[in-house]
Amino acid sequence: MNIQIRKFYYGDIPEETGGNSTSIKTTQESGWPLWEIFIRSKQGLDHKHAGSLHAADAQMAIENARDVYTRRQEGVSIWVVESKYIHATNPDDAEMFYEPAADKVYRHPTFYDLPDEVKHM
Amino acid sequence: MSPIINQTLQLADTCLILGQRNSEWCAHGPILEQDIAITNITLDLIGQARHFYQYAAELISKSENKTITEDALAYLRTERAFKNWLICELPNEDWAHTVLRQFFFSSFQLLLFEELEKNSDSQLSAIATKSIKEIKYHIKWSSEWVIRLGDGTEESNNRINKALQILWPYTGEFFMPADYEIISVGPLQEKWLLSIKEIFDEAGLTMPENIFMQSGGKSGIHTEHLGFILSELQYLQRAYPGAEW
Amino acid sequence: MSIHELEKIFQDKIDKEIKIEPKDWMPEAYRKTNIRQISQHAHSEIVGMLPEGNWISRAPSLKRKAILIAKVQDEAGHGLYLYSAAETLGSSREQMIDDLHSGKAKYSSIFNYPTLTWADMGAVGWLVDGAAILNQVMLCRTSYGPYARAMVRICKEESFHQRQGFESLLVLSKGTKEQRDMCQDAINRWWWPSLMMFGPKDSESTNSDQSIKWKIKRKTNDELRQQFVDMIAEQVKLLGMTLPDPHLKWNESRKHYDFGEINWEEFWNVVKGNGPCNKQRLEARIKAHEEGAWVREAALAYSSKKQSRSNAKVA
Ligand SMILES: [Fe+2]
Ligand SMILES: [Fe+2]
Ligand SMILES: [Fe+2]
């Protein structure tokens, strides 16, 4: 057997290695848009990003989120937003955005030394 | 068997057979999100079927003084004993057929279960209460799909109209009473038609008129499809009698 | 910044266990490797629905039917989470699905074996999901953030899969003679293919360890396989069944089980498309996708009609 053996992981099989090719029509269709899903896991908590999914419209996105992301009672409220409307900071700006906060230690309660006798503060 | 047992079995069989049909979509749906959605409905239906079978088993065990299980009722009764509504056993044609059947089915199921909820039998009433929450979601999901397909593309409109031709003759059975039924179904028809019409108007679909209605399921006279469903469904219990799984 | 510097910053992050997020700079090869691995993992979940979906209509009790449906449905969810993770790297789901259907992208070969009896449902849950879980637990710490998060969600759901499989075999193992035979037969057929799920031996891999360096993968094939053998060799005793390997033996000095040689020829044959069900699996996926095309189109058409109607109302 003259096969070049390569490392192959679960869900990571090199493309060059064999395979059966069935002829198929490749789809020209434009798929359903992508939505980001935010779920409130219980009353009193924030909505938290759960993941994303595809849906034809907002109503369907909410229902799909219900079916996909709350099958085990993970939520009591759902927000959806089409992924293209998410705006985010650029990782290149991380230094100027987030590092200036690093030396403002006086914003944190632990900055202040108080005598032990002071309770409840 | 008492009317209440027969009624319970009818509801159990009905939920099971539609659950069995819908489960054929699992791993074969038109898109992952909807594969998951229809499968949630399937799981609800099988859950409802189990509640009814368990209750029927309890009643039968009591009246016949032997132990009957939910599985004995689902797996060891034959075609003529099954009481499911005919519409459940029709083969899945396509997505349009599935969503329209679900819409007809769930819209009737809601009206029926609202009556069942008022019944003096506390068990049946409790099952109805629990199921109604699920059914309301099934109606929402399926009616939205009916609208989408009716008002979508030419092809989807054609397909849902074709499904309508196939399914409509099986909706009359909902309202034809069987001699054992403890709920009077006839009076529910008007309300059902209204709820269908509301969605059909939005979907651009027309309700067929003067169509001959098929019936028989409730009293065990089925289409030819049921035998095949049962032979698959019951195969292991039949091949290994008495085994536990 | 030069590519070289960017690469250094990138590798520093990885070394410090800082996750890579979608908008971060990453080497093209890292992006590609992740897309390939995540999408193939997704395909494995989706194709993996078929061998088990196969038995839904015949499940022997209502309880087992509900469990099996829920399990197969979970796998659809797993595929969905993973496709979404891959989409953050700029690959669309349509593209990935097309690659699966054309045979360009692969999925785990295990799903090209047939499920012949009910006991296979138990064996698949116990052995196949069991093997997958070892990979997946490791992947919860993979370096690419969206992949790691998808894996965390998946692992939470996955533990029920293995447990229900084992429990279902446990019932068979205490059942009639026919059920016990069915149970042993399923274990015999699924054991070796499950071992193959971990891939070729480390010693025979010519690929560099880039995936380990990038912390996409954190354990080698052989490490994971050994972990699996050690685990299953003990569990099988509780079933009163055996594993079909005469060389399986506890090695006191290694503190591990020794086991026999895998049939690598069979392994490569299945990877290359000659497994018992390669063709059927792919055809089933293609059929579902093609028959779903009009449904997906209709939903889009309706949503744009609705949109333009509400725009018209506003105007
Ligand atoms: Fe899996
Ligand atoms: Fe999975
Ligand atoms: Fe699984």
Side-chain angles (χ1 to χ4, degrees), chain B residues 76-94:
Chain B
L76 300 173
R77 283 155 63 243
T78 52
E79 296 90 323
R80 295 280 282 106
F82 265 70
K83 295 175 173 44
N84 62 280
W85 313 336
L86 296 177
I87 197 167
C88 306
E89 65 202 53
L90 301 178
N92 299 348
E93 302 280 335
D94 60 9

Side-chain angles (χ1 to χ4, degrees), chain A residues 1-120:
Chain A
M1 229 182 18
N2 188 15
I3 299 165
Q4 196 213 356
I5 297 194
R6 300 187 56 190
K7 203 156 247 182
F8 138 59
Y9 305 123
Y10 179 63
D12 183 26
I13 307 147
E15 277 160 13
E16 313 77 46
T17 316
N20 46 320
S21 14
T22 313
S23 72
I24 58 136
K25 297 180 254 171
T26 47
T27 34
Q28 291 304 308
E29 71 176 88
S30 55
W32 292 353
L34 192 64
W35 300 75
E36 300 303 321
I37 310 303
F38 300 83
I39 306 229
R40 187 201 293 288
S41 57
K42 65 179 209 213
Q43 285 307 96
L45 297 182
D46 291 326
H47 286 78
K48 190 169 165 248
H49 187 237
S52 44
L53 49 72
H54 290 268
D57 53 45
Q59 189 54 39
M60 194 204 271
I62 288 174
E63 289 166 27
N64 288 352
R66 177 258 192 197
D67 286 322
V68 171
Y69 288 105
T70 69
R71 297 199 304 285
R72 290 178 171 81
Q73 295 189 291
E74 292 97 332
V76 296
S77 165
I78 296 172
W79 286 351
V80 303
V81 63
E82 206 178 326
S83 307
K84 67 177 182 192
Y85 295 121
I86 299 270
H87 300 272
T89 51
N90 186 332
D92 295 342
D93 296 337
E95 284 182 15
M96 68 169 172
F97 264 69
Y98 310 114
E99 282 184 21
D103 64 354
K104 315 284 191 297
V105 282
Y106 44 81
R107 286 190 192 278
H108 300 278
T110 46
F111 180 72
Y112 303 93
D113 273 333
L114 296 184
D116 289 347
E117 295 80 63
V118 185
K119 306 278 184 204
H120 306 296

Side-chain angles (χ1 to χ4, degrees), chain C residues 71 75 78 129 158 161:
Chain C
K71 196 247 178 198
E75 306 298 3
H78 299 173
D129 286 79
E158 203 64 68
H161 297 177

Side-chain angles (χ1 to χ4, degrees), chain C residues 4-190:
Chain C
H4 187 74
E5 282 169 306
L6 287 167
E7 271 172 359
K8 190 175 169 318
I9 294 171
F10 173 82
Q11 188 63 48
D12 278 352
K13 271 200 212 162
I14 301 248
D15 294 341
K16 282 192 224 145
E17 301 287 334
I18 297 172
K19 296 275 184 246
I20 306 303
E21 294 295 343
K23 296 182 94 179
D24 293 346
W25 185 90
M26 61 186 85
E28 214 29 50
Y30 177 86
R31 178 187 302 275
K32 279 204 179 127
T33 305
N34 263 296
I35 290 179
R36 190 184 67 206
Q37 176 164 342
I38 299 169
S39 66
Q40 290 182 356
H41 194 161
H43 300 329
S44 302
E45 301 284 350
I46 299 308
V47 176
M49 297 169 75
L50 295 166
E52 289 180 283
N54 203 9
W55 277 88
I56 288 174
S57 66
R58 295 174 289 174
S61 72
L62 295 176
K63 183 181 95 180
R64 293 285 172 209
K65 190 187 285 288
I67 293 171
L68 183 59
I69 293 172
K71 196 247 178 198
V72 176
Q73 185 200 37
D74 271 355
E75 306 298 3
H78 299 173
L80 192 156
Y81 310 152
L82 288 163
Y83 282 130
S84 301
E87 282 182 275
T88 62
L89 290 163
S91 177
S92 75
R93 194 193 293 177
E94 281 81 54
Q95 185 55 54
M96 292 184 269
I97 288 177
D98 282 348
D99 287 348
L100 170 69
H101 293 176
S102 70
K104 183 175 170 231
K106 296 292 171 279
Y107 55 88
S108 186
S109 284
I110 191 81
F111 303 116
N112 290 320
Y113 289 88
T115 49
L116 301 179
T117 71
W118 171 253
D120 290 26
M121 296 303 97
V124 167
W126 177 42
L127 297 174
V128 176
D129 286 79
I133 289 167
L134 290 185
N135 269 292
Q136 296 181 151
V137 166
M138 166 191 77
L139 287 168
C140 289
R141 293 166 55 229
T142 192
S143 58
Y144 186 56
Y147 192 18
R149 290 192 287 275
M151 289 321 306
V152 169
R153 183 175 282 277
I154 288 172
C155 283
K156 270 189 206 152
E157 301 185 359
E158 203 64 68
S159 60
F160 124 69
H161 297 177
Q162 196 187 13
R163 290 173 72 100
Q164 65 83 32
F166 188 79
E167 191 245 7
S168 153
L169 291 184
L170 200 57
V171 172
L172 295 182
S173 74
K174 292 178 182 153
T176 64
K177 162 102 177 45
E178 285 153 312
Q179 286 176 304
R180 289 195 303 276
D181 289 349
M182 190 191 273
C183 179
Q184 183 63 61
D185 167 66
I187 294 170
N188 291 349
R189 281 182 291 106
W190 288 95

Side-chain angles (χ1 to χ4, degrees), chain B residues 56-85:
Chain B
E58 188 187 317
L59 294 174
I60 296 169
S61 300
K62 244 184 255 163
S63 80
E64 297 184 7
N65 218 350
K66 57 180 183 189
T67 314
I68 289 275
T69 63
E70 55 167 337
D71 287 331
L73 295 173
Y75 285 84
L76 300 173
R77 283 155 63 243
T78 52
E79 296 90 323
R80 295 280 282 106
F82 265 70
K83 295 175 173 44
N84 62 280
W85 313 336

